[in-house]
Amino acid sequence: MSTEPQTKDFIRNIVAEDLKNNKNDGRLVTRFPPEPNGYLHIGHAKSICLNFGVAREQGGVCHLRFDDTNPVKEETEFIDAIKTDVSWLGFDWGENEYYTSSYFEQLYQFATQLIRAGKAYVEDLSGEEMRQMRGTLTQAGTNSPCRERSIEDNLDLFERMRNGEFGNGEKVLRAKIDMAAPNMNLRDPAMYRILHAHHHRTGNEWCIYPMYDFAHGQSDSIEQITHSICTLEFADHRPLYDWFIEQLGIFAPRQYEFARLNLGYTVMSKRKLQQLVAQNHVSGWDDPRMPTLVGMRRRGFPARAIRTFCERIGVGKSDSWIDMSVLEDCVREQLNETAPRAMCVIDPIKVVITDYPPKKFFRLGPGREVRLRNSYIIKCNDFICDEHGKITELHCTHDAATLGAAPEGRKVKGIIHWVSQAHALKVEVRQYDRLFNVESPGASKEGVDFIDEMNPDSKEIIPCCYAEPSLANAEIGVPYQFERLGYFCADNESKSDALVFNRTVTLRDSWQKAK
RNA sequence: UGGGGCGUCGCCAAGUGGUAAGGCACCGGAUUUUGAUUCCGGCAUUCCCAGGUUCGAACCCUGGCGCCCCAGCCA
């Protein structure tokens, strides 16, 4: 399991300091709060490693809480997938599995508490009208005519909202804060909206649902979260969460924000990932080119490598763009230690050893001597071309004295991998490259759709490759190094009679660079 | 003269008044039956800019500049 980071980030420092001061009676509770509306990606891994990591390192616990406040977007399928991914990454939430939807009744009571305190009111205005009255970034908004509604009326209306007396969008419960607040989040934000929709957990019990902003902070409070760690864009919401907590007089978790992960040449936004899947630009959430955890797992990235990656990139507040090479290095480091070596020929040329019984496949420059890995040094004497002048066959002789022995005073040009044609397995190999051609898809120019920035060559299928016989037993997802080529693993579409291997990552290639 | 956040090597990132860690990338060189691995060595007189305080500043002060986020009945 991963060790403690070499240097502590600002969040770990804060936690350590709080613990030292016995803040919260020495309790440490964090949480990873995904919305079950999609699959987890490498950006979530950063958050998972942070939240679960801090808790594990400093003797706390980390909750897994599904923030399921929007029934129209959430599905049970995603809950299961998220749990699988978090477990795969190597973290255990034990009994601490929670759902915001479990707090719906409590949240409703909180709302009525605010209404009674004159801090919330039922709005009649339409969404469009509310938007217009909200003002702009530089101009204050104007108060709604409903703002001074009596507490009795608000209580009555809110209850009727719950009872289903109104249609979607007809009413909304708003917090009464300040329409002139420079922080837009404080301009009487919506707390509850009407949604006649089936919820994956509460079914048809509710037709009003709390907004994330009205649910998140209180959920943290209910769970006695001591350190609410989230990404930077929520810093502006912190004053709102604090306001709700203070009005309600309940336990106040402290929120800390860190910069979300950006990886070059891929996309991390859920909306974009969803679009890639929905429009079939990739084969699914688990397409090996996707930055999703399922995709990376299928591609062959070890969970350990992803943990190492999250450790290496650090946690800070400045916008960061991490180069894919950092992730690839973590993957290579891990695989180099664990992957058994095997041989597979992807671009075969027939070689006939004229003075040795079996025939073999491999690559070799004509007129030269070369070493067959784990075998003899052979010498190319002749070659055969097809009608286009392409070499199709090499005729070589072997040096019987070189099996397991160093060449006597001769410099061999190189060592190549090969496979015996008579015994080789015919396999399919899939090689992957970056999904996009630009570092930040969708952010390049005005009006350029990120879909148009996809790399058309991100997936290369090589149907006829020759692998050594031992690979017949390759289990799905288990890594191998195909010598001189890279790390590969059997794809989940692989069948015993139709083996398919994914290239996880290439080996470093200083020769390519030199050219 | 809206609010919030951020600016240390190509990319991340330590450092928080005592004279710039580390990783990735990159460049050398050694070992090697994977042009892999491993191994040595190099890689910011300088911390967005300009002033100021100080014996001494990336760290403190003042003023600029630049980048990111916010006007969902999404999260």
Side-chain angles (χ1 to χ4, degrees):
Chain A
M1 209 36 69
S2 47
T3 51
E4 274 193 46
Q6 53 294 67
T7 53
K8 281 189 173 176
D9 51 76
F10 77 100
I11 289 178
R12 276 179 242 255
N13 286 336
I14 288 169
V15 170
E17 186 66 16
D18 288 346
L19 255 21
K20 200 181 89 185
N21 297 329
N22 202 40
K23 194 174 171 183
N24 298 305
D25 300 318
R27 283 186 313 113
L28 168 59
V29 188
T30 58
R31 105 266 94 131
F32 171 60
E35 182 192 14
N37 70 339
Y39 283 69
L40 262 26
H41 53 65
I42 184 78
H44 291 112
K46 179 178 181 182
S47 176
I48 293 168
C49 290
L50 214 209
N51 280 294
F52 280 94
V54 164
R56 185 162 63 201
E57 290 154 21
Q58 310 203 34
V61 296
C62 181
H63 296 183
L64 172 62
R65 182 179 71 243
F66 292 95
D67 264 334
D68 52 354
T69 56
N70 188 349
V72 310
K73 290 188 175 179
E74 296 147 7
E75 294 171 31
T76 303
E77 170 203 354
F78 297 127
I79 290 183
D80 298 336
I82 287 168
K83 290 201 273 191
T84 299
D85 285 346
V86 174
S87 297
W88 174 73
L89 245 197
F91 298 101
D92 181 14
W93 57 92
E95 299 300 303
N96 300 302
E97 179 178 326
Y98 302 100
Y99 295 82
T100 300
S101 54
S102 300
Y103 312 139
F104 280 173
E105 183 58 41
Q106 172 69 269
L107 258 5
Y108 179 85
Q109 295 306 326
F110 281 153
T112 60
Q113 184 182 337
L114 287 187
I115 293 174
R116 282 191 208 94
K119 300 290 185 180
Y121 62 98
V122 173
E123 178 65 87
D124 297 338
L125 260 27
S126 69
E128 178 57 32
E129 290 169 318
M130 277 176 65
R131 190 175 316 123
Q132 282 169 0
M133 294 180 74
R134 185 148 35 225
T136 68
L137 295 179
T138 52
Q139 290 177 303
T142 51
N143 287 171
S144 162
C146 302
R147 205 171 197 262
E148 298 310 323
R149 197 139 31 202
S150 73
I151 289 175
E152 293 66 36
D153 286 354
N154 282 137
L155 246 19
D156 175 60
L157 253 12
F158 187 48
E159 188 177 340
R160 288 164 60 194
M161 279 169 66
R162 175 180 186 167
N163 293 337
E165 291 186 32
F166 306 107
N168 290 352
E170 279 183 38
K171 305 275 183 213
V172 42
L173 183 70
R174 289 230 256 175
K176 190 197 278 193
I177 308 180
D178 180 6
M179 287 306 289
N183 182 339
M184 298 296 283
N185 294 119
L186 267 20
R187 318 246 265 226
D188 290 12
M191 293 162 60
Y192 266 90
R193 76 293 216 184
I194 298 170
L195 244 31
H196 290 274
H198 182 271
H199 187 280
H200 67 99
R201 284 189 77 244
T202 60
N204 297 318
E205 189 183 340
W206 296 85
C207 64
I208 57 171
Y209 292 91
M211 296 292 291
Y212 172 84
D213 277 351
F214 186 66
H216 190 75
Q218 290 92 294
S219 297
D220 281 347
S221 178
I222 290 167
E223 293 177 21
Q224 297 279 301
I225 301 297
T226 56
H227 302 261
S228 298
I229 303 167
C230 64
T231 45
L232 249 27
E233 66 268 31
F234 291 105
D236 280 345
H237 298 238
R238 184 173 5 102
L240 176 58
Y241 302 157
D242 289 347
W243 187 86
F244 282 137
I245 295 286
E246 192 188 335
Q247 299 304 319
L248 262 11
I250 55 180
F251 174 73
R254 284 284 171 259
Q255 174 173 299
Y256 300 96
E257 309 89 9
F258 69 96
R260 66 192 311 160
L261 167 67
N262 292 297
L263 248 193
Y265 297 94
T266 187
V267 291
M268 219 67 94
S269 96
K270 235 179 226 182
R271 197 211 101 225
K272 286 176 180 161
L273 292 174
Q274 256 151 6
Q275 191 178 335
L276 288 174
V277 173
Q279 300 178 350
N280 298 310
H281 294 109
V282 294
S283 64
W285 288 98
D286 68 341
D287 186 298
R289 294 166 296 176
M290 291 282 271
T292 51
L293 295 182
V294 254
M296 291 183 163
R297 179 158 72 240
R298 181 173 170 190
R299 169 99 168 239
F301 285 24
R304 173 72 219 266
I306 292 174
R307 272 185 257 125
T308 301
F309 171 74
C310 291
E311 216 168 86
R312 275 189 200 174
I313 59 176
V315 177
K317 302 187 79 159
S318 58
D319 296 326
S320 61
W321 280 88
I322 309 292
D323 197 282
M324 196 64 90
S325 66
V326 179
L327 215 204
E328 288 180 345
D329 184 72
C330 294
V331 172
R332 289 194 187 100
E333 177 182 294
Q334 181 66 22
L335 260 22
N336 176 48
E337 290 173 15
T338 59
R341 315 282 125 134
M343 291 209 266
C344 178
V345 178
I346 277 175
D347 183 17
I349 181 168
K350 185 176 188 178
V351 169
V352 179
I353 305 296
T354 55
D355 61 346
Y356 199 78
K359 296 173 182 174
K360 314 190 179 209
F361 267 109
F362 69 103
R363 304 191 303 190
L364 163 63
R368 288 298 189 144
E369 274 193 332
V370 95
R371 164 143 240 145
L372 290 183
R373 169 121 244 241
N374 296 135
S375 182
Y376 301 98
I377 283 178
I378 60 169
K379 182 173 189 175
C380 182
N381 304 305
D382 199 6
F383 56 89
I384 295 174
C385 299
D386 62 15
E387 61 272 29
H388 307 295
K390 189 187 173 218
I391 297 170
T392 58
E393 206 171 306
L394 298 175
H395 286 11
C396 307
T397 49
H398 77 291
D399 183 340
T402 57
L403 215 208
E408 315 97 26
R410 277 180 289 146
K411 257 255 167 76
V412 187
K413 211 49 195 162
I415 300 145
I416 59 176
H417 57 107
W418 57 282
V419 106
S420 160
Q421 181 183 27
H423 311 278
L425 259 28
K426 224 171 136 180
V427 305
E428 175 177 313
V429 167
R430 298 175 182 174
Q431 303 192 142
Y432 306 102
D433 199 353
R434 52 179 54 151
L435 238 195
F436 291 88
N437 282 323
V438 299
E439 197 158 10
S440 180
S444 338
K445 304 177 199 77
E446 275 296 309
V448 174
D449 186 356
F450 80 103
I451 294 294
D452 296 326
E453 298 179 313
M454 290 188 74
N455 173 12
D457 305 316
S458 61
K459 181 180 189 178
E460 182 187 7
I461 294 185
I462 306 170
C464 292
C465 300
Y466 296 88
E468 64 170 75
S470 72
L471 258 10
N473 304 315
E475 283 176 46
I476 289 169
V478 174
Y480 286 89
Q481 184 195 99
F482 287 179
E483 292 203 32
R484 310 207 319 133
L485 298 178
Y487 296 97
F488 295 75
C489 70
D491 184 73
N492 59 20
E493 289 177 355
S494 189
K495 301 278 188 308
S496 57
D497 60 342
L499 297 167
V500 178
F501 287 92
N502 291 319
R503 184 175 70 192
T504 305
V505 65
T506 62
L507 251 34
R508 269 204 200 82
D509 190 356
S510 53
W511 188 57
Q512 272 281 358
K513 286 172 197 157
K515 289 174 82 175

